[in-house]
Amino acid sequence: MQKNIAGTEVEVDAEGYLTDMNQWSGDIANAIAEELHISPLSEKHWAVINWLREQTANGVELNIRKVGASGVVDIKEFYQLFPGGPLKNASKIAGLHKPTSCL
Amino acid sequence: MSESHKKEHQDHNRCHTCGQCKDCAACRCEPANGPALKKMMIIVSKASIDGIYAGLILANGARSEGIECDMFFTFFGLDAITKKRMEHLKVGLGGNPGMHMPEVIGVFPGMESVATHMMMKRMSELDIPPVPEFLDIIKAAGGRIFACKLAMEMFNLKREDMWDGVDEVLTVGQFYECYTPGSQIIFI
C-alpha cells in the first residue's frame, strides 16, 4: 500500500515497513523515527542505519548477533539506541523490510 | 501517554486480533483491548542442548521484540550457567524419538558426542551462538539470569561455580515476585 511519509509517497507493507529500500531518504528515516519516538537521530543512530542498509544491499540476513559483531555498535548500546525492539525499529527507520530472523 | 501522542494514536494502524497499535513502539504500553505480552519468565530445568537452547532462543526473541525477560535455571538446567559445564552440554539421546534413530544406538559410548557435534555444527552454520555468548547477548539486551537456590544446594554448587553473569540466586518465591501484569511463565 501507499503511504505519505515526509511528503513522499512510498510503498509500505501492512506494518509500515518500506517494501523498496530504494524509495528511502534521510527525511523518511527522520519521520519514521519520530513516529517511533526515537528522535532526534544521533550520529550513532545513523551509523547503525547505514550499516544495516549496506548489509541488506549485500544480501545479508540481519540478526542482533551480527549487529553486535559489526564494530559499529555493541548489543547493549543497540538496545539503548532503538528501544522497544531494536532490530525491528532500526530496520523500519532504515527503510528495510521487517527482520525475519529468530535470533 | 502525551496529548499529542494520543492524537496520533487514533490514526494508527491496529492489529485485528489484539487491537494493539502496530505503528509505534510507545503504543505497546497501552493497547486498546486486552493485555499485551510484556514479560516472559522462562524456567529451564533440563541440561540437554534442546532444552537449554529452546529457553535461550525464546528469551533472546522476547528481548528483541521489546518484551522483558527473566530466566530461572533449576535442576539440571543449572548446567547451562555452571562454569565448568556450560561449554560441554550434550544432546539427549535416551527417550528422544526426535533423534530418529533406534533407542539402542544411543547406549553405545560416544554416540552422544557424535550427535552433539553434528547438531552444534549445524547450529553454528545458522548463526546460533554457543551458550556463554548467547547468555551474554541476553544480558546485554537487558534480560536477567537467575539460579535456583534449592537446586544449587542439591548439587553442592556455590556462587563461584556459577557463570559470572548470573544476576542472583533466588528461591521459587522470589522468582514469582518478579511477576508483573502481562507476564507469561514458561517451564522447559
Side-chain angles (χ1 to χ4, degrees), chain B residues 36-108:
Chain B
L37 180 54
K38 296 222 179 73
K39 177 158 150 180
M40 289 292 279
M41 299 175 67
I42 301 168
I43 303 169
V44 178
S45 71
K46 306 248 190 309
S48 60
I49 283 186
D50 42 312
I52 286 166
Y53 270 95
L56 295 173
I57 291 167
L58 287 169
N60 181 56
R63 285 306 302 130
S64 62
E65 291 293 322
I67 298 165
E68 279 182 65
C69 182
D70 288 343
M71 298 190 81
F72 186 69
F73 290 86
T74 186
F75 270 82
F76 304 112
L78 280 177
D79 276 8
I81 52 167
T82 304
K83 277 179 196 157
K84 65 176 184 197
R85 300 210 184 270
M86 62 198 299
E87 288 178 80
H88 309 287
L89 303 169
K90 297 249 182 327
V91 179
L93 293 183
N96 183 357
M99 288 310 292
H100 309 131
M101 55 168 83
E103 184 84 358
V104 61
I105 292 180
V107 304
F108 290 120

Side-chain angles (χ1 to χ4, degrees), chain A residues 22-36:
Chain A
N22 297 316
Q23 292 186 333
W24 178 87
S25 68
D27 287 343
I28 290 175
N30 282 317
I32 298 174
E34 203 169 314
E35 261 187 44
L36 292 171

